[in-house]
Coordinates of all heavy atoms in Angstrom, one line a residue:
Chain A
M1 N -1.6 -13.2 -8.9 CA -1.4 -12.1 -8.0 C -0.7 -10.9 -8.7 O 0.3 -11.1 -9.3 CB -0.5 -12.5 -6.8 CG -0.2 -11.3 -5.8 SD 1.2 -11.6 -4.8 CE 2.6 -11.5 -5.9
N2 N -1.3 -9.8 -8.7 CA -0.7 -8.6 -9.3 C -1.1 -7.3 -8.4 O -1.8 -6.5 -8.8 CB -0.9 -8.3 -10.7 CG -0.1 -7.1 -11.2 OD1 0.9 -6.8 -10.7 ND2 -0.7 -6.4 -12.1
H3 N -0.6 -7.3 -7.1 CA -0.8 -6.2 -6.4 C 0.6 -5.6 -5.8 O 1.6 -6.2 -6.0 CB -1.7 -6.4 -5.2 CG -1.2 -7.3 -4.2 ND1 -1.3 -8.7 -4.3 CD2 -0.7 -7.0 -3.0 CE1 -0.8 -9.1 -3.1 NE2 -0.4 -8.2 -2.4
F4 N 0.5 -4.4 -5.2 CA 1.7 -3.7 -4.8 C 2.0 -4.0 -3.5 O 2.2 -5.2 -3.1 CB 1.7 -2.3 -5.3 CG 2.8 -1.6 -5.4 CD1 3.9 -2.2 -6.2 CD2 3.2 -0.5 -4.7 CE1 5.2 -1.4 -6.3 CE2 4.4 0.2 -4.8 CZ 5.3 -0.3 -5.6
L5 N 2.1 -3.1 -2.6 CA 2.3 -3.4 -1.2 C 1.1 -3.9 -0.5 O -0.1 -3.7 -1.0 CB 2.8 -2.0 -0.5 CG 4.0 -1.3 -1.1 CD1 4.3 -0.1 -0.3 CD2 5.2 -2.3 -1.1
T6 N 1.3 -4.6 0.6 CA 0.3 -5.2 1.3 C -0.9 -4.2 1.6 O -0.7 -3.1 2.0 CB 0.8 -5.8 2.7 OG1 1.9 -6.6 2.4 CG2 -0.3 -6.7 3.4
Q8 N -4.0 -2.5 3.4 CA -4.6 -2.1 4.8 C -5.4 -3.1 5.3 O -5.4 -3.5 6.4 CB -5.2 -0.7 4.6 CG -6.0 -0.2 5.9 CD -6.7 1.1 5.6 OE1 -6.4 2.0 6.1 NE2 -7.6 1.1 4.6
I11 N -3.7 -6.2 6.7 CA -3.0 -6.0 7.9 C -4.0 -5.8 9.1 O -3.8 -6.3 10.3 CB -2.2 -4.8 7.7 CG1 -1.0 -5.1 6.8 CG2 -1.6 -4.2 9.1 CD1 0.0 -4.0 6.4
V14 N -5.1 -9.3 10.1 CA -4.1 -10.0 10.9 C -4.2 -9.5 12.4 O -4.2 -10.3 13.3 CB -2.7 -9.8 10.3 CG1 -1.6 -10.0 11.3 CG2 -2.5 -10.7 9.0
Y15 N -4.3 -8.2 12.6 CA -4.4 -7.8 14.0 C -5.7 -8.2 14.7 O -5.5 -8.5 15.8 CB -4.3 -6.2 14.0 CG -2.9 -5.6 14.1 CD1 -2.2 -5.2 12.9 CD2 -2.2 -5.6 15.3 CE1 -1.0 -4.7 13.0 CE2 -1.0 -5.0 15.4 CZ -0.3 -4.6 14.3 OH 1.0 -4.2 14.4
S18 N -5.2 -11.7 15.8 CA -4.2 -11.7 16.9 C -5.0 -11.3 18.2 O -4.8 -11.8 19.3 CB -3.0 -10.8 16.7 OG -2.2 -11.4 15.6
T37 N -2.1 1.3 18.3 CA -1.0 0.6 17.6 C -0.4 1.5 16.5 O 0.8 1.6 16.4 CB -1.6 -0.6 16.9 OG1 -2.1 -1.4 18.0 CG2 -0.6 -1.3 16.1
Y41 N 2.6 6.1 13.8 CA 2.9 6.1 12.4 C 2.0 7.0 11.5 O 1.9 6.9 10.3 CB 2.8 4.7 11.9 CG 3.7 3.8 12.7 CD1 3.2 3.1 13.8 CD2 5.0 3.7 12.3 CE1 4.1 2.3 14.5 CE2 5.9 2.9 13.1 CZ 5.4 2.2 14.2 OH 6.2 1.4 14.9
G42 N 1.3 7.9 12.2 CA 0.4 8.9 11.5 C -0.8 8.2 10.7 O -1.3 8.8 9.7
Y43 N -1.2 7.1 11.1 CA -2.3 6.4 10.6 C -3.4 6.1 11.5 O -3.1 5.6 12.5 CB -1.9 5.1 9.9 CG -2.9 4.2 9.5 CD1 -3.9 4.6 8.5 CD2 -3.0 2.9 10.1 CE1 -5.0 3.7 8.2 CE2 -4.1 2.1 9.7 CZ -5.1 2.5 8.7 OH -6.0 1.6 8.5
V44 N -4.6 6.7 11.3 CA -5.7 6.4 12.2 C -6.7 5.6 11.5 O -7.5 6.0 10.6 CB -6.5 7.8 12.5 CG1 -7.4 7.6 13.5 CG2 -5.3 8.8 13.1
K97 N -2.8 -15.7 8.4 CA -1.6 -14.9 8.9 C -0.4 -15.3 8.2 O 0.4 -14.5 7.9 CB -1.5 -15.1 10.5 CG -2.5 -14.2 11.3 CD -2.4 -14.6 12.7 CE -1.2 -14.0 13.4 NZ -1.2 -14.0 14.9
V100 N -0.3 -13.7 4.8 CA 0.0 -12.3 4.9 C 1.5 -12.1 5.3 O 2.0 -11.0 4.7 CB -1.0 -11.5 5.8 CG1 -0.7 -10.1 5.9 CG2 -2.5 -11.7 5.3
K101 N 2.0 -12.9 6.0 CA 3.5 -12.8 6.5 C 4.3 -12.7 5.1 O 5.2 -11.9 5.0 CB 3.8 -13.8 7.4 CG 5.3 -13.7 7.9 CD 5.5 -14.7 9.1 CE 6.8 -14.4 9.8 NZ 7.9 -15.2 9.2
L104 N 3.9 -9.4 3.5 CA 4.5 -8.3 4.2 C 6.1 -8.4 3.9 O 6.7 -7.3 3.7 CB 4.3 -8.5 5.7 CG 2.9 -8.2 6.2 CD1 2.7 -8.8 7.6 CD2 2.6 -6.6 6.2
R106 N 7.5 -9.6 1.3 CA 7.7 -9.2 -0.1 C 7.6 -7.6 -0.1 O 8.4 -7.0 -0.8 CB 6.6 -9.7 -1.0 CG 6.7 -9.6 -2.4 CD 5.4 -10.1 -3.1 NE 4.2 -9.3 -2.7 CZ 3.8 -8.2 -3.5 NH1 4.3 -7.9 -4.6 NH2 2.7 -7.6 -3.0
S107 N 6.6 -7.0 0.6 CA 6.5 -5.6 0.5 C 7.7 -4.9 1.2 O 8.2 -3.9 0.6 CB 5.3 -5.2 1.3 OG 4.0 -5.7 0.7
R108 N 8.2 -5.5 2.2 CA 9.4 -4.9 2.8 C 10.6 -4.9 1.8 O 11.3 -4.0 1.7 CB 9.7 -5.7 4.1 CG 10.9 -5.1 4.9 CD 11.2 -5.9 6.1 NE 11.4 -7.3 5.8 CZ 11.5 -8.2 6.7 NH1 11.4 -7.9 8.1 NH2 11.7 -9.6 6.4
D109 N 10.7 -6.1 1.1 CA 11.7 -6.2 0.1 C 11.6 -5.2 -1.0 O 12.5 -4.6 -1.5 CB 11.7 -7.5 -0.5 CG 12.2 -8.6 0.5 OD1 12.7 -8.2 1.5 OD2 12.0 -9.9 0.2
I110 N 10.3 -4.9 -1.4 CA 10.1 -3.9 -2.5 C 10.5 -2.5 -2.0 O 11.3 -1.7 -2.6 CB 8.6 -3.8 -2.8 CG1 8.2 -5.1 -3.7 CG2 8.3 -2.5 -3.6 CD1 6.8 -5.1 -4.1
I111 N 10.2 -2.1 -0.7 CA 10.4 -0.8 -0.2 C 12.0 -0.7 -0.1 O 12.6 0.3 -0.4 CB 9.9 -0.6 1.2 CG1 8.3 -0.4 1.0 CG2 10.4 0.6 1.9 CD1 7.5 -0.4 2.3
E112 N 12.7 -1.8 0.4 CA 14.2 -1.7 0.4 C 14.7 -1.5 -1.0 O 15.7 -0.7 -1.1 CB 14.7 -3.1 1.0 CG 14.4 -3.3 2.5 CD 15.1 -2.3 3.4 OE1 15.8 -1.5 2.9 OE2 14.8 -2.5 4.6
K113 N 14.1 -2.1 -1.9 CA 14.7 -2.0 -3.3 C 14.5 -0.5 -3.8 O 15.3 0.1 -4.4 CB 14.0 -3.0 -4.2 CG 14.4 -2.8 -5.7 CD 14.1 -3.9 -6.6 CE 14.4 -3.6 -8.0 NZ 15.9 -3.5 -8.3
V114 N 13.3 0.1 -3.5 CA 13.0 1.4 -3.9 C 14.0 2.4 -3.3 O 14.5 3.3 -4.0 CB 11.5 1.7 -3.6 CG1 11.2 3.2 -4.1 CG2 10.6 0.9 -4.3
L115 N 14.3 2.1 -2.0 CA 15.2 3.0 -1.3 C 16.6 2.9 -2.0 O 17.3 3.9 -2.2 CB 15.2 2.7 0.1 CG 14.0 3.2 1.0 CD1 13.9 2.6 2.3 CD2 13.9 4.7 1.0
D117 N 17.4 1.8 -5.0 CA 17.5 2.2 -6.5 C 17.5 3.7 -6.6 O 18.0 4.2 -7.7 CB 16.3 1.6 -7.2 CG 16.5 0.1 -7.5 OD1 17.6 -0.4 -7.3 OD2 15.5 -0.5 -8.1
N118 N 16.9 4.4 -5.8 CA 16.5 5.8 -6.0 C 17.2 6.9 -5.1 O 17.1 8.0 -5.3 CB 15.0 6.1 -6.0 CG 14.3 5.4 -7.1 OD1 14.4 5.7 -8.2 ND2 13.7 4.2 -6.7
Y119 N 17.9 6.4 -4.0 CA 18.5 7.3 -3.1 C 20.0 7.0 -2.9 O 20.4 5.9 -3.1 CB 17.7 7.3 -1.8 CG 16.2 7.7 -2.0 CD1 15.3 6.7 -2.2 CD2 15.8 9.0 -2.1 CE1 13.9 7.1 -2.5 CE2 14.5 9.5 -2.3 CZ 13.7 8.4 -2.5 OH 12.3 8.8 -2.7
Chain B
M1 N -2.4 14.2 6.9 CA -2.0 13.0 6.3 C -2.7 11.8 7.0 O -2.6 11.7 8.2 CB -0.5 12.7 6.3 CG -0.1 11.4 5.6 SD 1.7 11.0 6.1 CE 1.4 10.6 7.9
N2 N -3.4 11.0 6.3 CA -3.9 9.8 6.9 C -3.9 8.7 5.8 O -5.0 8.3 5.3 CB -5.3 9.9 7.5 CG -5.7 8.7 8.2 OD1 -4.8 7.9 8.6 ND2 -7.0 8.4 8.3
H3 N -2.8 8.2 5.5 CA -2.7 7.1 4.5 C -1.9 6.0 5.2 O -1.3 6.2 6.1 CB -2.3 7.4 3.2 CG -0.9 7.8 3.1 ND1 -0.5 9.0 3.3 CD2 0.2 7.1 2.7 CE1 0.9 9.1 3.2 NE2 1.2 7.9 2.9
F4 N -2.0 4.8 4.5 CA -1.3 3.7 5.1 C 0.0 3.5 4.5 O 0.9 4.4 4.6 CB -2.3 2.5 4.9 CG -2.0 1.4 5.8 CD1 -1.9 1.6 7.2 CD2 -1.9 0.1 5.4 CE1 -1.5 0.5 8.1 CE2 -1.5 -1.0 6.2 CZ -1.3 -0.7 7.5
L5 N 0.3 2.5 3.7 CA 1.6 2.3 3.1 C 1.7 3.2 1.9 O 0.7 3.5 1.3 CB 1.9 0.8 2.7 CG 1.7 -0.2 3.9 CD1 2.0 -1.6 3.5 CD2 2.7 0.1 5.1
T6 N 2.9 3.5 1.5 CA 3.2 4.3 0.4 C 2.5 3.8 -0.8 O 2.3 2.7 -1.1 CB 4.7 4.3 0.0 OG1 5.5 4.6 1.3 CG2 5.1 5.4 -1.0
Q8 N 1.5 3.1 -4.7 CA 2.1 2.8 -5.9 C 2.4 3.9 -6.8 O 3.6 4.0 -7.4 CB 1.1 1.8 -6.7 CG 1.5 1.5 -8.1 CD 0.4 0.6 -8.7 OE1 0.6 -0.5 -9.1 NE2 -0.9 1.2 -8.9
I11 N 5.6 5.7 -5.8 CA 6.8 5.0 -6.1 C 7.1 5.0 -7.6 O 8.4 5.2 -7.9 CB 6.7 3.6 -5.5 CG1 6.7 3.6 -3.9 CG2 7.8 2.7 -6.0 CD1 6.4 2.3 -3.3
V14 N 8.7 8.4 -8.3 CA 10.1 8.4 -7.9 C 11.0 7.7 -8.9 O 12.0 8.3 -9.3 CB 10.3 7.8 -6.5 CG1 11.7 7.5 -6.3 CG2 9.7 8.8 -5.4
Y15 N 10.6 6.6 -9.4 CA 11.4 5.9 -10.4 C 11.5 6.7 -11.7 O 12.6 6.8 -12.4 CB 10.9 4.4 -10.8 CG 11.4 3.4 -9.8 CD1 10.7 3.0 -8.7 CD2 12.6 2.8 -10.1 CE1 11.3 2.0 -7.9 CE2 13.2 1.8 -9.3 CZ 12.5 1.4 -8.2 OH 13.1 0.4 -7.5
S18 N 13.9 9.4 -11.3 CA 15.3 8.8 -11.4 C 15.7 8.5 -12.8 O 16.9 8.7 -13.3 CB 15.4 7.6 -10.5 OG 15.2 8.0 -9.2
T37 N 12.3 -4.0 -13.3 CA 12.6 -3.6 -11.9 C 11.7 -4.5 -10.9 O 12.3 -5.0 -9.9 CB 12.3 -2.2 -11.7 OG1 13.2 -1.4 -12.4 CG2 12.4 -1.8 -10.2
Y41 N 9.4 -9.3 -7.8 CA 8.5 -9.1 -6.7 C 7.0 -9.4 -7.0 O 6.2 -9.0 -6.3 CB 8.6 -7.7 -6.2 CG 10.0 -7.4 -5.8 CD1 10.9 -6.8 -6.7 CD2 10.5 -7.7 -4.6 CE1 12.2 -6.6 -6.4 CE2 11.8 -7.5 -4.3 CZ 12.7 -7.0 -5.2 OH 14.0 -6.7 -4.8
G42 N 6.8 -10.0 -8.2 CA 5.4 -10.4 -8.6 C 4.5 -9.2 -8.9 O 3.4 -9.3 -8.7
Y43 N 5.1 -8.1 -9.2 CA 4.2 -6.9 -9.6 C 4.6 -6.5 -11.0 O 5.7 -6.2 -11.3 CB 4.5 -5.8 -8.5 CG 4.1 -4.4 -9.0 CD1 2.7 -4.3 -9.2 CD2 4.9 -3.5 -9.1 CE1 2.2 -2.9 -9.6 CE2 4.5 -2.2 -9.5 CZ 3.1 -1.9 -9.8 OH 2.7 -0.7 -10.1
V44 N 3.5 -6.3 -11.8 CA 3.7 -5.9 -13.1 C 3.0 -4.6 -13.3 O 1.7 -4.6 -13.4 CB 3.1 -6.9 -14.2 CG1 3.4 -6.5 -15.6 CG2 3.6 -8.4 -13.9
K97 N 11.2 13.5 -4.2 CA 11.8 12.2 -3.9 C 12.2 12.2 -2.3 O 12.0 11.2 -1.7 CB 13.1 12.1 -4.6 CG 12.9 11.5 -6.1 CD 14.1 11.5 -7.0 CE 15.1 10.4 -6.5 NZ 16.2 10.2 -7.4
V100 N 8.9 11.5 -0.5 CA 8.5 10.0 -0.7 C 9.5 9.2 0.2 O 9.1 8.1 0.9 CB 8.4 9.6 -2.1 CG1 8.1 8.1 -2.1 CG2 7.4 10.4 -2.8
K101 N 10.8 9.5 0.3 CA 11.7 8.7 1.1 C 11.3 8.7 2.6 O 11.3 7.5 3.2 CB 13.1 9.4 1.1 CG 14.2 8.6 1.8 CD 15.5 9.1 1.4 CE 16.6 8.2 1.9 NZ 17.1 8.6 3.2
L104 N 8.4 6.2 2.7 CA 8.9 4.9 2.5 C 9.5 4.4 3.8 O 9.2 3.2 4.2 CB 9.9 4.7 1.4 CG 9.4 4.9 -0.1 CD1 10.6 5.3 -1.0 CD2 8.7 3.6 -0.5
R106 N 8.7 5.4 6.8 CA 7.5 5.2 7.8 C 6.8 3.8 7.4 O 6.5 3.0 8.3 CB 6.6 6.4 7.5 CG 5.4 6.4 8.5 CD 4.4 7.5 8.0 NE 3.8 7.1 6.8 CZ 2.6 6.5 6.6 NH1 1.9 6.2 7.7 NH2 2.2 6.2 5.5
S107 N 6.6 3.6 6.0 CA 6.0 2.3 5.7 C 6.8 1.1 6.0 O 6.2 0.1 6.6 CB 5.8 2.3 4.1 OG 5.0 3.2 3.7
R108 N 8.1 1.2 5.9 CA 9.0 0.1 6.4 C 8.8 -0.1 7.8 O 8.7 -1.3 8.3 CB 10.4 0.4 6.0 CG 11.4 -0.7 6.3 CD 12.8 -0.4 5.9 NE 13.3 0.8 6.5 CZ 14.4 1.5 6.2 NH1 15.1 1.0 5.2 NH2 14.7 2.6 6.8
D109 N 8.7 0.9 8.6 CA 8.6 0.8 10.1 C 7.3 0.2 10.4 O 7.1 -0.6 11.4 CB 8.7 2.2 10.8 CG 10.1 2.8 10.7 OD1 11.0 2.0 10.4 OD2 10.3 4.0 11.0
I110 N 6.2 0.6 9.7 CA 4.9 -0.1 10.0 C 5.0 -1.5 9.6 O 4.5 -2.4 10.5 CB 3.8 0.5 9.0 CG1 3.4 2.0 9.5 CG2 2.5 -0.3 9.0 CD1 2.3 2.6 8.6
I111 N 5.6 -2.0 8.5 CA 5.7 -3.4 8.2 C 6.4 -4.1 9.3 O 6.1 -5.2 9.8 CB 6.2 -3.6 6.8 CG1 5.3 -3.1 5.7 CG2 6.7 -5.1 6.5 CD1 5.8 -3.1 4.3
E112 N 7.5 -3.5 9.7 CA 8.4 -4.2 10.9 C 7.5 -4.4 12.1 O 7.6 -5.4 12.8 CB 9.6 -3.3 11.2 CG 10.7 -3.2 10.0 CD 11.3 -4.5 9.8 OE1 11.2 -5.6 10.5 OE2 12.2 -4.6 8.8
K113 N 6.6 -3.4 12.4 CA 5.9 -3.4 13.6 C 4.8 -4.5 13.4 O 4.5 -5.3 14.3 CB 5.2 -2.1 13.8 CG 4.2 -2.1 15.0 CD 3.8 -0.8 15.5 CE 2.8 -0.8 16.6 NZ 3.3 -1.5 17.8
V114 N 4.2 -4.6 12.3 CA 3.1 -5.6 12.1 C 3.7 -7.0 12.2 O 3.2 -7.9 12.8 CB 2.5 -5.5 10.6 CG1 1.5 -6.5 10.4 CG2 1.8 -4.1 10.5
L115 N 5.0 -7.2 11.6 CA 5.7 -8.5 11.7 C 6.0 -8.8 13.2 O 5.8 -10.0 13.7 CB 6.9 -8.6 10.9 CG 6.7 -8.5 9.4 CD1 7.9 -8.3 8.6 CD2 6.1 -9.9 9.0
D117 N 4.4 -7.5 16.0 CA 3.2 -7.6 16.8 C 2.5 -9.0 16.6 O 1.8 -9.3 17.6 CB 2.3 -6.5 16.5 CG 2.7 -5.2 17.1 OD1 3.7 -5.1 17.9 OD2 2.0 -4.1 16.9
N118 N 2.6 -9.5 15.4 CA 1.7 -10.6 15.1 C 2.3 -12.0 14.8 O 1.6 -13.0 14.7 CB 0.9 -10.2 13.9 CG 0.0 -9.0 14.2 OD1 -1.1 -9.2 14.9 ND2 0.3 -7.9 13.8
Y119 N 3.7 -12.0 14.9 CA 4.3 -13.2 14.5 C 5.4 -13.7 15.5 O 5.8 -12.9 16.3 CB 4.9 -13.2 13.1 CG 3.8 -13.0 12.1 CD1 3.6 -11.7 11.6 CD2 3.1 -13.9 11.5 CE1 2.6 -11.4 10.7 CE2 2.1 -13.7 10.6 CZ 1.9 -12.4 10.2 OH 0.9 -12.2 9.3

Side-chain angles (χ1 to χ4, degrees):
Chain A
M1 179 197 67
N2 184 27
H3 68 277
F4 201 51
L5 303 180
T6 308
Q8 172 184 241
I11 291 175
V14 162
Y15 269 98
S18 295
T37 296
Y41 303 92
Y43 164 62
V44 183
K97 281 173 72 171
V100 177
K101 184 168 189 270
L104 286 162
R106 187 188 66 95
S107 296
R108 184 178 54 188
D109 291 348
I110 288 180
I111 291 174
E112 294 292 355
K113 177 167 175 62
V114 178
L115 288 167
D117 284 352
N118 296 282
Y119 299 95
Chain B
M1 180 197 66
N2 183 26
H3 69 276
F4 201 51
L5 303 181
T6 309
Q8 172 184 241
I11 291 176
V14 162
Y15 270 99
S18 296
T37 296
Y41 304 92
Y43 164 62
V44 183
K97 281 173 71 170
V100 176
K101 184 167 189 270
L104 285 163
R106 187 189 65 95
S107 295
R108 184 178 56 189
D109 291 349
I110 288 180
I111 291 174
E112 293 291 356
K113 177 166 176 63
V114 177
L115 287 167
D117 283 352
N118 295 282
Y119 298 97

